[in-house]
Amino acid sequence: MNDTPFPAQDPHQPKPGQLGQPSPGQAPKPPKPPKQPWATGDMKKRWPWVAGGCFAAAILFLGITANQYENTPTASETALASRTSAAAATLSAQQAEAKRLEQEEIKRQHEEERLRRAAEAEAEAENKRQQEVLAAKMDRGTYEQIGDRDFALLAKDPDAHKGRKLVIYGVVTQFDSATGKTTFRAETGANPGDYYDYDVNSMVGVLSTTAANVVEDDMVTLYVEVVGSYSYDTQIGGNTTVPKFFANIVDVTGSK
């Protein structure tokens, strides 16, 4: 019996004869070759993730490809887009023209309104002027008293005194169907007197309303405007020229 003691063994190392260890007197087994990565248990656990990643990558690639295909317009889509663009351009031009016409119509209406208001203002101003003129015609204080000499000069050249507002006196010598309702003939002078004191043959225009109560042989005071000279044919076949007045106010002071 060999009394040589066995060397001390590490209690953590497998003892000879245990499973996977050589028995005493047997040669140790050669080391097993290293396992390949794909045969390891870790790889077996990871393959579903790898397969899922590949599937996801394939889905992503197909999606990108489909999206690129979908985003590529077809010939019909291109033609439709072209027609749509042309229609939009036409509509834009029509809208611009409609806007221009609308602005022109607004401008025309404003101009018509301006002209209407201007015409109304002008008519109102003219009406006011006429009223002022009429008021002045009816204002006895605006008529001038003249003497015999001035009246003689007027009778000599009536046209040189057109527009003058005078107070004259006279007697009505003719106011009938021959003269009409708006004209009468009178002998006139610069001062009041008897009928035989008036020796200037004159024609007097008048409004029919103003002369409604005037008849032949009336003695009158006339507030007149000088019209100028007036020529007419006489009953005996001659022609004469006389001063013509327009009487705005006629006062009947008596009768011949």
Side-chain angles (χ1 to χ4, degrees), residues 112-239:
E112 286 184 353
E113 180 65 15
R114 185 189 68 81
L115 293 175
R116 184 186 65 80
R117 290 183 178 180
E120 288 180 352
E122 184 178 356
E124 183 178 356
E126 177 62 18
N127 184 52
K128 182 178 179 181
R129 187 190 67 81
Q130 291 179 356
Q131 290 179 349
E132 291 174 350
V133 170
L134 179 60
K137 289 178 182 294
M138 302 307 294
D139 183 1
R140 298 170 187 262
T142 62
Y143 292 85
E144 177 186 4
Q145 292 274 0
I146 61 174
D148 290 335
R149 178 175 176 78
D150 287 340
F151 192 77
L153 292 172
L154 184 153
K156 181 180 179 181
D157 188 5
D159 293 332
H161 299 267
K162 284 183 179 181
R164 290 183 68 181
K165 296 174 67 177
L166 306 173
V167 181
I168 62 175
Y169 304 89
V171 57
V172 178
T173 56
Q174 184 180 1
F175 197 6
D176 53 22
S177 59
T179 60
K181 295 181 179 181
T182 58
T183 305
F184 61 83
R185 192 167 61 86
E187 297 290 333
T188 59
N191 297 295
D194 290 328
Y195 71 91
Y196 48 79
D197 293 325
Y198 306 122
D199 57 0
V200 177
N201 184 23
S202 306
M203 295 296 294
V204 181
V206 68
L207 294 177
S208 60
T209 53
T210 304
N213 295 322
V214 177
V215 295
E216 191 172 318
D217 292 337
D218 279 345
M219 304 290 290
V220 291
T221 300
L222 305 174
Y223 295 80
V224 302
E225 294 179 69
V226 180
V227 177
S229 58
Y230 178 79
S231 298
Y232 67 95
D233 296 329
T234 64
Q235 293 180 347
I236 60 174
N239 182 276

Side-chain angles (χ1 to χ4, degrees), residues 71-86:
N71 291 336
T72 302
T74 63
S76 60
E77 291 175 338
T78 302
L80 178 60
S82 178
R83 291 195 298 271
T84 302
S85 177

